[in-house]
Amino acid sequence: MEGGPHKEDKTEFTECWRTTWKTPYIMRLAFSAGIGGLLFGYDTGVISGALLYIRDDFKSVDKHTWLQETIVSMAVAGAIFGAGFGGWLNDKYGRRKSILLADILFFVGAIVMALAPVPWVIIIGRVLVGLGVGMASMTSPLYISEASPARIRGALVSTNGLLITGGQFLSYLINLAFTRTKGTWRWMLGVAGIPALIQFFLMMSLPESPRWLYRAGKKDEAKAILQKIYPAHEVEDEMRALEASIETEKADEDFLGGGIFSKVKSAFSNTVVRRGLYAGITVQVAQQFVGINTVMYYSPTIVQLAGFASNKTALALSLITSGLNAVGSIISMCFVDRFGRRRLMIFSMIGIIVCLIILSVLFMQASSHAPPISAFESNHFGSNSTCSAFLNAPGASSWNCMSCIQASSDCAFCSNGNNKYHPGACLALNDHVKGLCRSERREWFTKGCPSKFGFFAVMLLGLYIISYSPGMGTAPWIVNSEIYPLRYRGIGGGIAAVSNWVSNLIVSETFLTLTEAIGSAGTFLLFAGFSTIGLIAIFFLVPETKGLQFEEVEKMLEKGYKPKLFCKKTSEKSYAS
């Protein structure tokens, strides 16, 4: 909370376990609010599998990359507005009501998507779901942070990250379960409404954030909640710290005004808050520009690009990456309060950059070693079945599988009947020809090509995830729940969350277009470049907040942050990281 002495040796995951075992009410608060992270994760993961079957049901979606990107990214666009509106709503009406509204929006959006008769209705549902996700993405960690003792705050906020990755893993399991069910993608998207409904009823039985209650003048209610969270001898210390902090901030607010625009203006004019925003926005933008949501939103598509044609196989392999993401979140919970947020992010970024560079090389090799196109194999299905772009190309004799599928949106590759790595056929992309190809037990490729490098590419995706998840997956949300003064916590978290979602929108809306324009190898290399810039920015702008009270973080930012590679507090009163 705001104050009270806490020993350095208890900022570990084991202390979190001891504390929540003795005081299960803390875990109840954290888990119930953390379901917002589950919604975030489920929506991120479910669309990647559902998109494969939406393409099958709506040919307009299959033929137009921009329509696929729009279906995916409209949830992100909705989340931008949800996060921005959520910052104001958090300060005005409280964290609990914000979460309840997010659940309603998410539930309605899930039902709309499940019943959608045409693609544009799916897009409307995606926008509604996005509004809910955006509000939950910045409210859930804020609520958990404000209802957590400082010594275990990082570990508890990490439960939100764990549930995000758990939601992604759950979405892939559900996607896989519905692959042979009538209405595949409708079930995949509709089931998302269930956790929103569960969280709605759980939050109805929980109180508002004690910090928000105290600020709203409901001191007795705030104290009653603190008594359920803290040992009796620490409650008065917390109450006095809250009183001192809030009285100062209310005096400032009376002078500056309380409207959203005046808050944004005063946030950027306040040195402490501005430095906090530099750090908060940096980690949120870096989190997206490492390309993580291209893996989450398009994971099965990437697996197909690596040479696995079957939708079911692509979903099964994607399950591995989402599972590793969940494992990484558990690692974060264990170590984030021991090793610190900044150190985890730096190591995470280094691992991400290495994986992206190697992944780029693998995709480059896979493209150059794609199976050749055989005129004999193509004519085997009849001249009317051969792709017109191949028939009319002057240098068609030098074509390989990659040349075929990139030449036109109307071309597909049918593998050789004896060995998929041998020369195959470049055929017209339609259901009739697809049926002819598969009737001979051949594989049908539209996104990627048969490749002996495919397995290694999936392994690298897994290493990329395990590098990302413990650091960049969870630490940015923890940093943003800790780095702003109370008065600016809602608006600061909202601004940072909006920056996260804007970055997410840019990445998700351009990924498929980039793979078509510069290839998979070039796209991953581009993300490696962005990640390098992000690593430099984190090193210079982001301080360590491990184990610090909120007042200590404020004093550190007021003094000014000077970067060091591995930051340690040298004494109890040292605020430089």
Side-chain angles (χ1 to χ4, degrees):
M1 300 297 288
E2 289 295 331
H6 301 291
K7 294 181 180 179
E8 189 77 12
D9 60 357
K10 292 188 177 181
T11 58
E12 300 180 2
F13 180 69
T14 51
E15 174 63 15
C16 177
W17 176 257
R18 290 194 206 102
T19 303
T20 54
W21 181 261
K22 293 178 183 177
T23 316
Y25 185 74
I26 296 173
M27 183 54 73
R28 181 185 167 195
L29 290 172
F31 177 77
S32 299
I35 295 177
L38 184 77
L39 300 179
F40 183 1
Y42 188 91
D43 177 70
T44 302
V46 74
I47 194 61
S48 64
L51 188 63
L52 301 178
Y53 296 94
I54 292 172
R55 288 192 337 227
D56 289 342
D57 279 5
F58 300 110
K59 298 305 175 187
S60 59
V61 176
D62 191 40
K63 285 184 175 294
H64 296 98
T65 297
W66 66 267
L67 194 51
Q68 295 173 42
E69 291 173 329
T70 301
I71 289 173
V72 169
S73 61
M74 278 303 100
V76 182
I80 293 171
F81 291 98
F85 178 65
W88 170 81
L89 197 70
N90 267 273
D91 287 341
K92 183 72 174 176
Y93 297 106
R95 296 22 169 167
R96 179 173 168 270
K97 288 181 180 178
S98 298
I99 292 174
L100 292 173
L101 180 58
D103 289 331
I104 293 170
L105 289 168
F106 196 97
F107 181 81
V108 172
I111 300 303
V112 169
M113 288 189 294
L115 301 176
V118 289
W120 65 265
V121 178
I122 300 176
I123 293 172
I124 292 175
R126 293 287 293 161
V127 171
L128 291 172
V129 163
L131 287 169
V133 167
M135 292 174 63
S137 71
M138 59 84 54
T139 306
S140 292
L142 187 62
Y143 182 91
I144 296 170
S145 175
E146 293 183 346
S148 304
R151 61 182 174 270
I152 60 169
R153 188 175 62 222
L156 284 177
V157 175
S158 290
T159 61
N160 184 65
L162 175 62
L163 286 169
I164 289 175
T165 55
Q168 291 166 346
F169 185 73
L170 177 65
S171 72
Y172 284 115
L173 279 177
I174 289 175
N175 282 350
L176 202 56
F178 286 122
T179 52
R180 296 188 181 277
T181 305
K182 186 177 180 181
T184 50
W185 61 270
R186 297 183 186 277
W187 286 103
M188 293 172 181
L189 297 174
V191 166
I194 295 176
L197 206 59
I198 292 171
Q199 185 182 42
F200 182 86
F201 287 110
L202 285 174
M203 292 302 299
M204 288 290 288
S205 65
L206 290 176
E208 180 53 76
S209 154
R211 214 175 256 114
W212 187 89
L213 286 171
Y214 196 103
R215 184 170 172 75
K218 301 178 180 180
K219 298 179 182 179
D220 291 339
E221 292 181 43
K223 185 174 182 179
I225 298 166
L226 291 180
Q227 288 171 337
K228 294 181 180 181
I229 296 171
Y230 279 89
H233 66 278
E234 292 184 16
V235 173
E236 290 303 323
D237 288 338
E238 297 299 326
M239 290 294 290
R240 283 193 292 270
L242 275 174
E243 180 180 11
S245 176
I246 290 173
E247 287 302 318
T248 300
E249 288 166 354
K250 281 187 174 180
D252 290 341
E253 191 171 74
D254 290 339
F255 177 75
L256 295 170
I260 184 170
F261 293 108
S262 62
K263 280 191 174 184
V264 171
K265 182 180 178 181
S266 64
F268 280 98
S269 61
N270 183 299
T271 302
V272 171
V273 181
R274 185 171 65 250
R275 287 171 177 167
L277 283 169
Y278 288 160
I281 292 172
T282 291
V283 295
Q284 294 287 31
V285 172
Q287 184 189 63
Q288 293 304 318
F289 272 91
V290 300
I292 182 58
N293 277 323
T294 62
V295 177
M296 292 297 108
Y297 290 138
Y298 299 108
S299 185
T301 302
I302 293 172
V303 171
Q304 288 183 333
L305 287 169
F308 298 91
S310 164
N311 284 354
K312 189 172 182 179
T313 301
L315 284 172
L317 290 172
S318 298
L319 192 61
I320 297 172
T321 60
S322 63
L324 289 172
N325 203 11
V327 170
S329 294
I330 295 172
I331 294 172
S332 176
M333 289 181 67
C334 294
F335 294 106
V336 70
D337 281 323
R338 180 180 299 177
F339 293 111
R341 294 80 162 115
R342 185 172 183 271
R343 183 183 293 187
L344 280 180
M345 286 191 290
I346 287 174
F347 278 111
S348 179
M349 290 295 281
I350 292 171
I352 286 167
I353 292 166
V354 172
C355 288
L356 285 171
I357 291 172
I358 299 174
L359 201 57
S360 177
V361 172
L362 282 177
F363 272 100
M364 198 178 299
Q365 291 297 312
S367 178
S368 61
H369 291 86
I373 299 298
S374 165
F376 173 79
E377 286 287 321
S378 299
N379 292 332
H380 170 75
F381 295 95
S383 58
N384 291 334
S385 299
T386 304
C387 177
S388 58
F390 174 72
L391 291 173
N392 298 324
S397 60
S398 62
W399 276 30
N400 63 15
C401 168
M402 197 61 70
S403 309
C404 172
I405 63 176
Q406 290 181 345
S408 168
S409 59
D410 295 321
C411 292
F413 179 78
C414 181
S415 67
N416 190 289
N418 298 317
N419 188 320
K420 65 180 182 180
Y421 302 118
H422 289 174
C426 186
L427 304 179
L429 179 57
N430 60 59
D431 290 339
H432 173 68
V433 178
K434 179 181 178 181
L436 291 175
C437 174
R438 288 186 169 173
S439 68
E440 296 189 7
R441 297 186 181 277
R442 299 171 180 236
E443 291 189 66
W444 181 256
F445 294 85
T446 59
K447 296 297 178 184
C449 295
S451 171
K452 295 179 180 179
F453 297 96
F455 176 72
F456 296 104
V458 173
M459 285 183 62
L460 256 296
L461 280 175
L463 287 174
Y464 166 85
I465 290 293
I466 206 68
S467 297
Y468 166 86
S469 185
M472 292 306 297
T474 54
W477 298 105
I478 298 172
V479 168
N480 273 283
S481 70
E482 297 174 332
I483 206 162
Y484 309 111
L486 174 60
R487 175 176 167 256
Y488 294 97
R489 198 156 295 146
I491 199 72
I495 291 170
V498 168
S499 70
N500 181 289
W501 286 110
V502 169
S503 303
N504 189 335
L505 178 63
I506 293 169
V507 171
S508 60
E509 183 66 33
T510 58
F511 176 69
L512 293 179
T513 302
L514 281 170
T515 58
E516 289 184 354
I518 61 177
S520 304
T523 302
F524 285 114
L525 194 60
L526 184 64
F527 286 136
F530 288 141
S531 300
T532 302
I533 296 171
L535 173 60
I536 295 169
I538 288 171
F539 178 77
F540 284 104
L541 296 175
V542 182
E544 180 58 74
T545 57
K546 179 190 76 169
L548 298 179
Q549 303 302 311
F550 290 112
E551 305 99 316
E552 294 176 316
V553 174
E554 187 172 345
K555 289 177 182 177
M556 175 181 63
L557 292 173
E558 185 177 6
K559 182 179 178 181
Y561 169 67
K562 296 179 181 180
K564 293 180 182 178
L565 185 57
F566 301 113
C567 305
K568 297 180 181 179
K569 292 201 301 179
T570 56
S571 68
E572 189 86 34
K573 296 183 179 181
S574 174
Y575 303 119
S577 60

